[in-house]
Amino acid sequence: MGARVVKVERPGVGDPARAWAPPDWGGDGTLFLASNRGKRSLSLDLARLEGQEVAQRLVDRSDVVIQAFRPDVAERFGLTERALRPGRPRLIVCTITAYGSSGPKSARPGYDPLLQAELGLMSLTGPVGGPPVRVGTSVVDLGAGMWAALGILAAVRARDATGEGTNLEVSLQDTALNWVGYHLQGVLASGEIPGPMGTSLPMICPYGAFPTQDGSLMVAAGNDGLFRKLCDALDAGELTEDPRFTTNPLRVTHRGELEALLARTTAVLSTQELARRLEAQGVPFAPVRDLGEVSRDPGVLGGAFRLEPHPRVPGYRAVAIPPVLGGSRPAASRPPPQVGEHSEEILGELGYSPQEVEVLRSSGITG
């Protein structure tokens, strides 16, 4: 969306996420490829004073610094807000931590599944009565990145008004807590602790996946009107008069009975026939698909999942960011970089001569 991003990586191996594979594509793990389009890569050994000096020069030219080291590592590398702020009043420093910068857990390392486990997401995911299940994508990591981006935009707007930068912190713990916020409020309100509900939602019924002859279809009848339309679509109008099902709270109370009655009807229909009936009545629905089916969907291929030029990966596709600005999606300015691909270019911009760059390279400070 207009930012010029420099990713600082260790010389040689680079970001560890490059090796999170298989699957890989062109030598890098697909998790790395999906998260690093549009960035330039500067390889830098931040454990050495010379590398930190380069980083400080880069900070002098930056509006925003984002770092996700443990507090002790950030201190060692000179990347804390306290170390970066002097002489840089307009700088915005964004720190992403696992458990926050203070408190008994602040020094603990954190990864997405650990926070999913500790903050209750796993307890809500999976089949009814089943074991804890990790959400199938890294929602805590991705969510923290989104909150960081939102916070940075707010900090930029505040700087426009005041001329002053600020220190911004986002933690994986707070992000995970935010995902389960309304569930926690439910615990406080009722004293009942929710467990996994498969595809259902605790406070709405019918709201979940129903079996068909050849698969499953997700149905979202989120109010009384849609429930009546669902019953009409299934030729089950008598259910709307059943005193157990006349309101959503009653349907939630009698969830098991209602879902069993509906499933008895949907199971004898093909997915296509059930979809046709629901669409005719205006009932929200979606087929339950795997990612192979998603990757072949013309609607997806014509929108966010698009071909992008890549020098090492013929046919490279990537998912664009969701915002559509002025009627078009922001274009990726460059493919995911190789480790240190832009080091010489960036160092030149920072004022290093070719001879100085060669010294940095030969001494292993950059690569």
Side-chain angles (χ1 to χ4, degrees):
M1 293 190 288
R4 293 172 295 170
V5 181
V6 174
K7 179 182 182 72
V8 179
E9 304 185 73
R10 290 183 297 174
V13 295
D15 184 341
R18 291 179 179 273
W20 290 355
D24 69 277
W25 207 0
D28 282 325
T30 51
L31 188 152
F32 175 87
L33 294 177
S35 305
N36 286 278
R37 292 169 10 263
K39 302 176 186 178
R40 294 190 294 170
S41 173
L42 167 64
S43 62
L44 209 55
D45 186 352
L46 291 174
R48 296 168 65 179
L49 182 60
E50 299 92 333
Q52 293 176 28
E53 289 172 350
V54 174
Q56 292 293 326
R57 197 181 295 194
L58 178 61
V59 171
D60 285 338
R61 295 172 56 93
S62 300
D63 293 289
V64 183
V65 173
I66 307 173
Q67 64 91 5
F69 295 111
R70 294 195 319 271
D72 61 313
V73 177
E75 186 81 35
R76 192 162 72 246
F77 288 171
L79 293 175
T80 63
E81 198 264 349
R82 186 180 68 257
L84 295 173
R85 176 64 56 203
R88 303 181 179 109
R90 292 178 56 81
L91 184 67
I92 295 165
V93 181
C94 177
T95 300
I96 301 177
T97 67
Y99 295 95
S101 59
S102 60
K105 299 180 183 177
S106 61
R108 283 176 55 184
Y111 290 89
D112 180 278
L114 305 183
L115 276 299
Q116 285 197 34
E118 193 164 1
L119 273 298
L121 274 77
M122 288 187 183
S123 75
L124 301 170
T125 309
V128 176
V133 175
R134 174 186 172 272
V135 178
T137 193
S138 299
V139 292
V140 179
D141 284 345
L142 295 171
M146 292 167 67
W147 282 114
L150 183 59
I152 287 168
L153 292 175
V156 169
R157 292 291 291 131
R159 189 181 66 180
D160 290 343
T162 66
E164 296 290 324
T166 190
N167 182 38
L168 165 70
E169 183 178 320
V170 175
S171 73
L172 302 184
Q173 176 173 259
D174 289 351
T175 300
L177 199 63
N178 189 265
W179 287 135
V180 297
Y182 67 87
H183 290 290
L184 278 173
Q185 286 192 319
V187 172
L188 295 175
S190 69
E192 297 181 8
I193 300 174
M197 297 196 65
T199 59
S200 299
L201 197 66
M203 63 284 296
I204 305 176
C205 184
Y207 199 99
F210 287 86
T212 66
Q213 279 183 341
D214 53 351
S216 298
L217 203 71
M218 187 75 184
V219 178
N223 57 51
D224 295 341
L226 288 174
F227 176 62
R228 287 192 291 271
K229 291 181 177 182
L230 172 63
C231 292
D232 289 342
L234 299 178
D235 298 323
E238 71 280 1
L239 295 180
T240 63
E241 305 301 323
D242 191 311
R244 297 172 295 176
F245 310 138
T246 52
T247 67
N248 182 68
L250 286 169
R251 292 193 292 273
V252 169
T253 299
H254 299 281
R255 177 189 303 276
E257 300 144 270
L258 177 57
E259 289 180 343
L261 289 168
L262 294 173
R264 190 181 304 166
T265 301
T266 65
V268 300
L269 301 173
S270 68
T271 301
Q272 186 175 9
E273 171 62 15
L274 179 56
R276 185 193 66 76
R277 292 189 181 199
L278 297 179
E279 187 167 23
Q281 291 290 338
V283 179
F285 72 91
V288 178
R289 304 191 299 182
D290 62 36
L291 288 174
E293 294 170 289
V294 175
S295 71
R296 297 187 295 271
D297 184 332
V300 170
L301 293 173
F305 192 42
R306 62 190 184 187
L307 279 167
E308 293 180 358
H310 195 296
R312 299 177 302 281
V313 185
Y316 177 77
R317 288 188 183 274
V319 178
I321 61 172
V324 177
L325 305 174
S328 61
R329 297 183 185 276
S333 57
R334 60 182 79 239
Q338 293 183 289
V339 181
E341 180 177 343
H342 307 96
S343 294
E344 186 172 344
E345 175 184 311
I346 295 167
L347 290 170
E349 293 171 1
L350 297 179
Y352 288 91
S353 69
Q355 295 77 16
E356 290 172 318
V357 171
E358 181 54 39
V359 171
L360 291 171
R361 181 185 295 113
S362 61
S363 60
I365 302 300
T366 188

